[in-house]
């Protein structure tokens, strides 16, 4: 009989998880079995469990794409990893590796990719499978709970900041200081940028300030955009939107400097309006950004390994998943929740 593990399973969209026994998966060719030690809960997991996006995951499934731990078993043909190595799974579970995007370091755009905790089972479990070429390689002896957020929040923020093309000494405005935004502030500081932060709750703004944001503004207060434009003497060179409200996307266009770039990372279902005249006259770039490729992931891990980025976390248990999701929906502090197995 197959050995069993505990897992948080989605049986129906928008319904609570069940914590149940599931068979421990067997690593196939080129794959490793990872014993999960820590796991951040991303807002994407909530979108997945709610079935928020077109192309819903197949029911039943195990979400989770920021799971870190140690290699517990190797499938055939795995090179460069051994049992006990510290690794983590990311949203990009695997890609075909041959297409024009994979060949040019844009494997996050491969149209044959699989996504952890979405199209394949994820890390809200005691064990998860990761293909050896795509797992994040972590420094031995790392703090697993603090490293888990790097595997999605970290790499997505880091790549998104690069995509704004803001340079050291320039300004970035980060809208949404949740799981992604709080590490985005730290990456931006480590990358030599000045940071302005927006959110709708004061505790998150206080965290942004403590992480090095020089300007903070409540996104809902009248004049928030004007305050940032004034403080940055003309607007931020780059804007990173991680917020889960479409209104934040429209507001981002009011924060950006002429010739600047607004990078969209948050994924609330919905749309926002773009004033054509302003976008044209001010030569504004609006750019989507999806996680990062394998190189971006390795670079993002390096920042954490060097101690330049240390996510602020809140430890919970696998059994707390339904409460964490309720808190995420409510926008309360458990948004930075990391399950410790
Ligand atoms: P989170 O819930 O922890 O954080 C969202 C934050 O947005 C909260 O702090 C909330 O208070 C804030 N917010 C809400 N309305 C706002 C507004 N009007 N203005 C400013 N801030 C506002 O979620 P998270 O885990 O950080 O994920 C954020 C979003 O990014 C989700 O939609 C998630 O699916 C998406 N995401 C995208 C990628 C990608 O590659 N593009 C990767 C990971 C997550
Ligand atoms: Zn994520």
């Amino acid at each position: 009989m197959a050995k069993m593990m505990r897992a948080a399973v989605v049986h129906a969209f928008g319904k609570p998880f069940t914590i149940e026994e599931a068979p421990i998966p067997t690593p196939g060719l080129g794959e490793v079995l990872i014993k999960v030690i820590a796991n951040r809960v991303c807002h994407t997991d909530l979108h997945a469990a709610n079935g928020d996006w077109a192309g819903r995951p197949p029911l039943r499934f195990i979400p989770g794409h920021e799971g870190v731990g140690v290699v517990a078993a190797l499938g055939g043909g795995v090179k460069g990893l051994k049992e006990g190595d510290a690794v983590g799974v990311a949203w990009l579970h695997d890609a075909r590796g041959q297409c024009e995007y994979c060949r040019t370091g844009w494997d996050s755009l491969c149209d044959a990719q699989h996504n952890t905790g979405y199209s394949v089972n994820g890390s809200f479990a005691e064990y998860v499978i990761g293909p050896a070429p795509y797992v994040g390689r972590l420094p031995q002896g790392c703090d697993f709970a603090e490293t888990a957020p790097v595997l999605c929040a970290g790499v997505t923020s880091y790549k998104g900041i690069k995509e704004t093309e803001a340079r050291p000494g320039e300004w970035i405005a980060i809208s949404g200081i949740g799981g992604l935004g709080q590490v985005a502030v730290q990456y931006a500081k480590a990358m030599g940028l000045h940071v302005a932060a927006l959110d709708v709750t004061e505790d998150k703004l206080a965290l942004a300030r403590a992480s090095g944001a020089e300007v903070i503004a409540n996104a809902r207060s009248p004049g928030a955009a004007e305050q940032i434009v004034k403080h940055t003497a003309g607007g931020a060179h780059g804007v990173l939107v991680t917020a889960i409200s479409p209104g934040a996307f429209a507001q981002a266009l009011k924060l950006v400097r002429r010739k600047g770039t607004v990078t969209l990372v948050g994924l609330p279902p919905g749309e926002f309006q773009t004033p054509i005249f302003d976008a044209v006259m001010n030569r504004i770039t609006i750019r989507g950004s999806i996680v990062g490729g394998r190189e971006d992931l390795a670079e993002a891990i390096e920042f954490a390994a060097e101690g330049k980025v240390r996510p602020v976390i809140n430890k919970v248990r696998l059994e707390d998943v339904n409460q964490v999701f309720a808190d995420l929906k409510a926008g309360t502090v458990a948004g930075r929740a990391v399950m410790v197995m």
Side-chain angles (χ1 to χ4, degrees):
M1 224 183 73
K3 286 197 178 155
M4 305 298 276
M5 63 178 184
R6 276 180 313 132
V9 181
V10 176
H11 285 271
F13 296 115
K15 293 281 184 306
F17 281 83
T18 55
I19 307 294
E20 59 192 54
E21 297 271 302
I24 296 178
T26 307
L29 198 63
E31 294 178 340
V32 295
L33 178 70
I34 301 163
K35 182 171 170 41
V36 178
I37 294 176
N39 211 339
R40 186 184 79 99
V41 182
C42 183
H43 208 107
T44 291
D45 301 313
L46 179 57
H47 294 308
N50 278 344
D52 275 348
W53 306 326
R56 289 168 148 193
L59 290 171
R60 55 192 275 276
F61 74 104
I62 303 172
H65 57 272
E66 301 188 80
V68 297
V70 292
V71 175
L74 303 172
V78 171
K79 294 202 174 67
L81 280 175
K82 58 181 187 321
E83 278 185 36
D85 281 353
V87 292
V89 288
W91 173 253
L92 182 64
H93 183 265
D94 64 273
R96 182 165 38 189
Q98 309 295 333
C99 70
E100 64 180 283
Y101 303 108
C102 289
R103 289 199 312 268
T104 54
W106 284 91
D107 36 10
S108 54
L109 297 181
C110 175
D111 66 4
Q113 68 183 275
H114 293 104
N115 299 117
T116 316
Y118 205 88
S119 55
V120 297
N121 277 335
S123 50
F124 285 6
E126 290 177 292
Y127 291 90
V128 67
I129 293 286
Y134 289 89
V135 295
R137 316 270 171 131
L138 311 179
Q140 287 305 101
C142 68
D143 181 314
F144 286 104
E146 283 184 4
T147 307
V150 175
L151 276 289
C152 175
V155 64
T156 303
S157 299
Y158 172 62
K159 177 70 166 179
I161 293 166
K162 287 201 281 185
E163 288 288 70
T164 68
E165 296 181 36
R167 299 153 70 105
E170 295 185 339
W171 279 94
I172 187 162
I174 299 172
S175 173
I177 308 294
L180 262 57
Q182 63 120 344
V183 290
V185 173
Q186 296 188 20
Y187 275 97
K189 292 308 295 178
M191 292 160 82
L193 296 163
H194 294 293
V195 176
L198 297 100
D199 201 291
V200 291
T201 66
E202 294 303 322
D203 60 331
K204 290 173 180 173
L205 291 172
L207 176 63
R209 173 77 87 189
S211 305
E214 290 121 296
V215 193
I216 53 172
N218 190 313
R220 288 208 187 110
S221 72
E226 292 73 16
Q227 183 191 336
I228 285 174
V229 170
K230 188 169 169 218
H231 200 101
T232 55
H237 301 79
V239 183
L240 182 73
V241 189
T242 77
I244 37 89
S245 149
F249 290 71
Q251 186 179 53
L253 294 169
K254 298 186 185 150
L255 306 172
V256 70
R257 202 182 195 87
R258 269 177 275 160
K259 194 170 163 284
T261 298
V262 179
T263 298
L264 314 180
V265 161
L267 281 163
E271 299 173 358
F272 70 99
Q273 282 207 323
T274 306
I276 297 169
F277 187 83
D278 292 349
V280 171
M281 291 314 217
N282 296 331
R283 196 267 194 185
I284 301 304
T285 303
I286 301 173
R287 176 177 285 169
S289 185
I290 175 72
V291 289
R294 283 184 281 173
E295 280 309 307
D296 301 305
L297 180 60
E299 290 168 20
I301 291 170
E302 195 61 34
F303 275 77
E306 289 174 8
K308 291 175 180 155
V309 166
R310 260 190 90 182
V312 176
I313 57 161
N314 188 15
K315 291 184 185 171
V316 298
R317 301 167 311 148
L318 180 70
E319 288 73 16
D320 299 328
V321 63
N322 287 312
Q323 184 57 48
V324 171
F325 270 35
D327 291 342
L328 261 185
K329 259 185 216 166
T332 51
V333 70
R336 298 180 290 277
V338 173
M339 290 173 185
V340 179
M341 309 301 275

